[in-house]
């Protein structure tokens, strides 16, 4: 059995900042999550996983502290978003059909251009080359609804893989890679923690407050990790307040970063005992 896997979940621009704050605080306390044997990133987690795996944590944190940003502001009401997602799922035969419906809706929806979106994603990554460190980035094939996991061996540019993982349906455009289009890996699961099967210890960081849909999926994944020790760290109430009602608002980056740092210090003892 492989030893340690780090799972980084989705959570928007503010979620990126929160994850970075937690990871930075843990590193300052002597727990370096870059020592994971496998990093699995979904959406916001794909960004932070890439920043961590490429050795660019400090540069990524510094970007969150700068007022100037390449991020594109978009207004999102999370409750409305989840309500729309629930409606798309009504009557679907299985989860894969739900993903196909999400993909079709994403393709039909008018958003910023794919090129503009990719520029914003590329600006998040101090390095655009796949790292040697094991890194998996999740996405979903918009046409088939199948989970797709990109890694160094996939032959896909790193920026394209991260952009695909972050292509939230009805918010951002699907990402074209070759002849296929891809949507956010979070449409399957905010965590995709089941990909960590076979690891002895699995640490899951979630920059999103609990809700029934996400909790149900996470519970199913944890059941699949029954042979592994698992530790879940997700935003507490104070961090959720710092992130605010729109996690895609770039103005929430610094408050979310600071909240992540504070929460990282608070969970340091538990994570050290688990990870060491």
């Amino acid at each position: 059995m492989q030893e340690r896997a780090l799972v980084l979940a989705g959570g928007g621009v503010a979620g990126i900042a929160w994850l970075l704050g937690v990871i930075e605080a843990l590193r300052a306390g002597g727990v370096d999550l870059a020592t994971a044997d496998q990093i699995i990133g979904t959406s916001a987690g794909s960004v932070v996983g890439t920043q961590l795996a490429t050795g660019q944590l400090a540069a990524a944190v510094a970007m969150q502290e700068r007022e100037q940003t390449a991020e594109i502001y978009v207004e999102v009401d999370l409750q409305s978003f989840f309500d729309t997602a629930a409606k798309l799922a009504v009557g679907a035969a299985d989860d894969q059909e739900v993903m196909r419906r999400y993909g079709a809706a994403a393709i039909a929806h008018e958003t910023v251009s794919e090129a503009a979106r990719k520029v914003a994603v590329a600006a998040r990554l101090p390095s655009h080359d796949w790292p040697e460190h094991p890194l998996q980035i999740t996405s979903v094939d918009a046409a088939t609804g199948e989970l797709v996991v990109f890694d160094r061996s996939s032959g896909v540019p790193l920026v394209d893989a991260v952009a695909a993982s972050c292509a939230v349906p009805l918010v951002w455009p699907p990402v074209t890679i070759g002849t296929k289009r891809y949507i956010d890996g979070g449409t399957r699961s905010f965590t995709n923690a089941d990909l960590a099967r076979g690891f002895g210890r699995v640490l899951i960081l979630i920059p999103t407050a609990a809700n029934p849909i996400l909790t149900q999926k996470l519970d199913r994944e944890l059941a699949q990790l029954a042979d592994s020790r698992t530790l879940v760290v997700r935003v507490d109430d104070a961090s959720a307040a710092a992130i605010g009602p729109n996690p895609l608002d770039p103005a929430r980056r610094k408050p979310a970063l600071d909240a992540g740092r504070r929460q990282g210090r608070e969970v340091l003892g538990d994570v050290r005992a688990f990870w060491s």
Side-chain angles (χ1 to χ4, degrees), residues 7-20 22 42-45 76 78-79 81-82 168 184 186-187 189-192 204-218 232-248 256 259-260 263:
V7 175
L8 302 173
V13 172
I16 291 172
W18 182 86
L19 286 168
L20 286 169
V22 171
T42 294
S43 200
V76 173
L78 280 185
Q79 188 57 57
F81 178 82
F82 284 125
V168 183
D184 197 309
T187 56
S189 162
F190 263 48
T191 52
N192 290 296
I204 306 169
L205 302 185
I206 308 177
T208 308
N211 71 54
I213 295 175
L214 303 187
T215 298
Q216 184 181 56
K217 288 186 176 182
L218 178 60
V232 178
V233 177
R234 75 182 314 152
V235 293
D236 59 16
D237 289 343
S239 289
I243 289 170
N246 180 8
L248 301 185
Q263 200 169 345

Side-chain angles (χ1 to χ4, degrees), residues 179-254:
T179 61
K180 297 183 177 182
R181 304 192 77 184
Y182 298 90
I183 58 174
D184 197 309
T187 56
R188 176 186 184 261
S189 162
F190 263 48
T191 52
N192 290 296
D194 53 311
L195 295 176
R197 283 191 300 269
F199 285 86
R201 285 173 282 174
V202 182
L203 174 61
I204 306 169
L205 302 185
I206 308 177
T208 308
N211 71 54
I213 295 175
L214 303 187
T215 298
Q216 184 181 56
K217 288 186 176 182
L218 178 60
D219 287 346
R220 288 203 303 259
E221 292 167 7
L222 291 175
Q224 294 183 61
L225 297 174
D227 293 333
S228 306
R229 292 174 56 205
T230 59
L231 176 64
V232 178
V233 177
R234 75 182 314 152
V235 293
D236 59 16
D237 289 343
S239 289
I243 289 170
N246 180 8
L248 301 185
D249 182 356
R252 306 312 300 170
R253 292 176 300 135
K254 185 58 165 63

Side-chain angles (χ1 to χ4, degrees), residues 22-267:
V22 171
I23 293 169
E24 181 195 48
L26 291 174
R27 179 174 287 186
V31 180
D32 185 3
L33 298 187
T35 59
D37 298 298
Q38 178 72 64
I39 298 174
I40 300 166
T42 294
S43 200
S46 76
V47 175
V48 177
T50 297
Q51 294 163 339
L52 186 62
T54 55
Q56 300 295 325
L57 178 63
V61 169
M63 282 194 293
Q64 301 304 315
E65 297 189 298
R66 290 197 292 267
E67 185 175 345
Q68 185 179 4
T69 179
E71 298 290 351
I72 302 169
Y73 175 81
V74 61
E75 185 65 45
V76 173
D77 180 285
L78 280 185
Q79 188 57 57
S80 176
F81 178 82
F82 284 125
D83 288 347
T84 299
K87 290 176 183 176
L88 285 171
V90 172
D94 53 31
D95 288 346
Q96 195 165 328
E97 183 178 343
V98 176
M99 299 304 104
R100 289 196 295 271
R101 291 181 182 184
Y102 288 163
I107 290 170
H109 194 73
E110 186 175 346
T111 65
V112 301
S113 72
E114 188 176 338
R117 173 61 176 160
K118 195 173 292 186
V119 167
V121 172
R124 298 171 173 173
L125 308 177
S127 174
H128 293 175
D129 296 322
W130 278 97
E132 294 290 341
H133 193 290
L135 170 66
Q136 293 183 327
I137 294 174
T138 67
S139 186
V140 169
D141 186 313
T144 68
E146 294 176 315
L147 172 69
V148 177
V149 181
F150 297 113
D151 61 18
R152 183 179 176 86
S153 68
S154 299
V156 170
L158 180 59
V159 171
D160 288 1
V162 174
S165 189
C166 295
V168 183
L170 308 179
V171 177
W172 304 119
V175 170
T176 305
I177 301 175
T179 61
K180 297 183 177 182
R181 304 192 77 184
Y182 298 90
I183 58 174
D184 197 309
T187 56
R188 176 186 184 261
S189 162
F190 263 48
T191 52
N192 290 296
D194 53 311
L195 295 176
R197 283 191 300 269
F199 285 86
R201 285 173 282 174
V202 182
L203 174 61
I204 306 169
L205 302 185
I206 308 177
T208 308
N211 71 54
I213 295 175
L214 303 187
T215 298
Q216 184 181 56
K217 288 186 176 182
L218 178 60
D219 287 346
R220 288 203 303 259
E221 292 167 7
L222 291 175
Q224 294 183 61
L225 297 174
D227 293 333
S228 306
R229 292 174 56 205
T230 59
L231 176 64
V232 178
V233 177
R234 75 182 314 152
V235 293
D236 59 16
D237 289 343
S239 289
I243 289 170
N246 180 8
L248 301 185
D249 182 356
R252 306 312 300 170
R253 292 176 300 135
K254 185 58 165 63
L257 177 70
D258 289 339
R261 286 166 166 160
R262 186 264 312 159
Q263 200 169 345
R265 291 190 293 269
E266 291 179 358
V267 302

